[in-house]
Amino acid sequence: MRIGHGEQLFEVRPGEPMGGYADRAHGAGGVLDPLEVHVVTFAAGRHRFALVVADLVCVNTDAAGQVRDALRELRIDDCWVAATHTHASPESGCTPGGRPTPPDVGRRLVAAAVSAARAAIVDERDAALTSVRVEVPGLAGRRIAGAAERLDVPVDALVVSTAAGVAGVVTVSPVHPTVLPAANRDISGDLNGAIRRALEAPGRWAVAATGAAGDISTRHTRRGRGPAELARLASLVAAELPLAPSGEPGPDAVRLPVSRQVRLEPKTAAEVAAATRATAAGGADARARQVFEQGRRIAGELAARGEPYDVDVQAVRLGGVTLVAVPGELFLELGEAIRAAAGPDVIVLGYTNGYLGYLPSRDTPPTYETLVSPVRPGSGERVADVAVQVARIVAAAEEST
């Protein structure tokens, strides 16, 4: 297999709207750290696949399609476009169910992806691909649990090795990159940018993507809301992740993505009303009450839509590793269920090829996340079931050749 990497800065317009928080009225101010678009290409035989990871709060289906069309001109057969979900980036149409991407944001994303993809193709070299999983204590926890809950967060990584050693790494952490607060006006890759910086080294590139992070964040583990805390949390990942060739690389093959469409029904008005009553903020602090009111408004708007959501769930086989793409905020429990059913070589990417919104597990207690999820309870399980199916299909295709 030949693997290459390229990156390009994502240009930000001063003062443009920032995404991530429904009540955010201010535009982009300074730059804490530049936003980046990374492309990793995987080529074997007649096939070339690209993974695009962009420092945006979300990538909607229209923008993902535009990137895919543009990269085909570079002889890339197919690609996935994943958002890191940083909340310190421009607004890109990140509402439950997704909406059209602001045209200028889409143009900048396509331009950066094409530039990075060109560099990745030039960079391609013979390489082995292996995967590794580590559990990182103290990094994050469930947003709805108390600070006393202990959760060792599973972080997956694709390790790219050449004859000279480890050439690159793609991490997938199921953690909301929301260390920086809602009042922040500075552009930043947030936690994913910090993880990249912690893992980069001379001769070694790093890409940081986000997995099934719907209910996981640093809310109960962070000790601050600025650059020093970003560096501290990223160092926890770097300390646990062994960056050395590990295990035997899989077959030297790229199996192009298998996709299945899932139709999900929207919540009914009665379900929205019940969810609103169940998640009432009550005596919570002012910010919690404010967020609840935002959630109630969003839920009402979604219920008025009344139309089903069609989402594509995909899987691709790269060597001996299967990547699964989910276009939303899957809860960690469901991401782990996919891996348990489809095999330990499966890595689940969230926020990829579209943005549906939160996909809670059926038994999740009432929260803001369940309130603003646009689809009926049990939808997360349906998506997970289809993810297992496509993961098994691409793995079986490899075994049959």
Side-chain angles (χ1 to χ4, degrees), residues 306-321:
E307 297 177 1
Y309 298 88
D310 292 323
V311 298
D312 290 322
V313 180
Q314 301 186 54
V316 66
R317 187 76 170 172
L318 305 173
V321 182

Side-chain angles (χ1 to χ4, degrees), residues 157-189:
L158 291 171
V159 181
V160 178
S161 303
T162 66
V166 175
V169 59
V170 181
T171 64
V172 182
S173 57
V175 181
H176 259 74
T178 51
V179 176
L180 299 174
N184 169 63
R185 296 190 59 178
D186 292 334
I187 292 297
S188 172

Side-chain angles (χ1 to χ4, degrees), residues 91-110:
E91 174 55 51
S92 54
C94 194
T95 60
R99 68 169 186 260
T101 303
D104 192 44
V105 172
R107 284 191 292 269
R108 281 177 275 158
L109 174 60
V110 171

Side-chain angles (χ1 to χ4, degrees), residues 261-345:
Q261 190 172 86
V262 187
R263 172 157 287 192
L264 302 174
E265 295 298 326
K267 284 198 191 88
T268 65
E271 287 170 335
V272 170
T276 300
R277 291 191 298 271
T279 55
D285 61 39
R287 177 60 184 168
R289 290 194 297 272
Q290 187 178 31
V291 168
F292 166 74
E293 290 302 324
Q294 295 167 15
R296 185 166 64 176
R297 173 181 57 79
I298 293 169
E301 293 170 353
L302 292 171
R305 179 181 185 272
E307 297 177 1
Y309 298 88
D310 292 323
V311 298
D312 290 322
V313 180
Q314 301 186 54
V316 66
R317 187 76 170 172
L318 305 173
V321 182
T322 299
L323 300 184
V324 170
V326 175
E329 306 200 47
L330 199 67
F331 274 33
L332 179 58
E333 174 186 347
L334 296 174
E336 293 298 278
I338 294 169
R339 190 172 187 269
D345 61 354

Side-chain angles (χ1 to χ4, degrees), residues 24-278:
R24 209 171 211 168
H26 56 256
V31 176
L32 184 61
D33 52 277
L35 302 183
E36 299 175 359
V37 176
H38 290 254
V39 175
V40 185
T41 54
F42 305 85
R46 295 172 297 169
H47 296 152
R48 177 180 281 123
F49 172 78
L51 175 63
V52 182
V53 181
D55 281 332
L56 289 172
V57 65
C58 78
V59 175
N60 283 319
T61 54
D62 60 345
Q66 291 162 14
V67 171
R68 188 175 299 111
D69 291 342
L71 295 197
R72 286 198 180 106
E73 299 295 320
L74 304 181
R75 299 181 65 184
I76 291 172
D77 299 292
D78 206 343
C79 76
W80 288 355
V81 188
T84 62
H85 199 50
T86 173
H87 287 37
S89 68
E91 174 55 51
S92 54
C94 194
T95 60
R99 68 169 186 260
T101 303
D104 192 44
V105 172
R107 284 191 292 269
R108 281 177 275 158
L109 174 60
V110 171
V114 167
S115 179
R118 287 193 176 118
I121 293 171
V122 171
D123 184 60
E124 285 179 356
R125 64 195 76 179
D126 292 334
L129 185 67
T130 54
S131 65
V132 63
R133 165 171 279 213
V134 295
E135 294 187 345
V136 184
L139 174 63
R142 290 183 178 82
R143 300 165 83 175
I144 59 176
E149 184 200 38
R150 178 179 175 82
L151 179 64
D152 293 346
V153 174
V155 175
D156 293 300
L158 291 171
V159 181
V160 178
S161 303
T162 66
V166 175
V169 59
V170 181
T171 64
V172 182
S173 57
V175 181
H176 259 74
T178 51
V179 176
L180 299 174
N184 169 63
R185 296 190 59 178
D186 292 334
I187 292 297
S188 172
D190 204 283
L191 181 60
N192 294 76
I195 291 173
R196 288 196 301 260
R197 293 189 294 274
L199 295 175
E200 289 169 346
R204 185 176 75 212
W205 49 264
V207 179
T210 305
D215 59 335
I216 306 297
S217 79
T218 62
R219 179 177 298 172
H220 302 299
T221 58
R222 60 194 176 220
R223 302 173 185 172
R225 304 300 300 267
E229 182 61 8
L230 288 170
R232 186 189 73 82
L233 292 169
S235 71
L236 299 179
V237 176
E240 296 292 336
L241 188 61
L243 283 185
S246 59
E248 292 295 324
D252 186 21
V254 172
R255 306 292 174 193
L256 292 180
V258 171
S259 180
R260 292 290 183 271
Q261 190 172 86
V262 187
R263 172 157 287 192
L264 302 174
E265 295 298 326
K267 284 198 191 88
T268 65
E271 287 170 335
V272 170
T276 300
R277 291 191 298 271

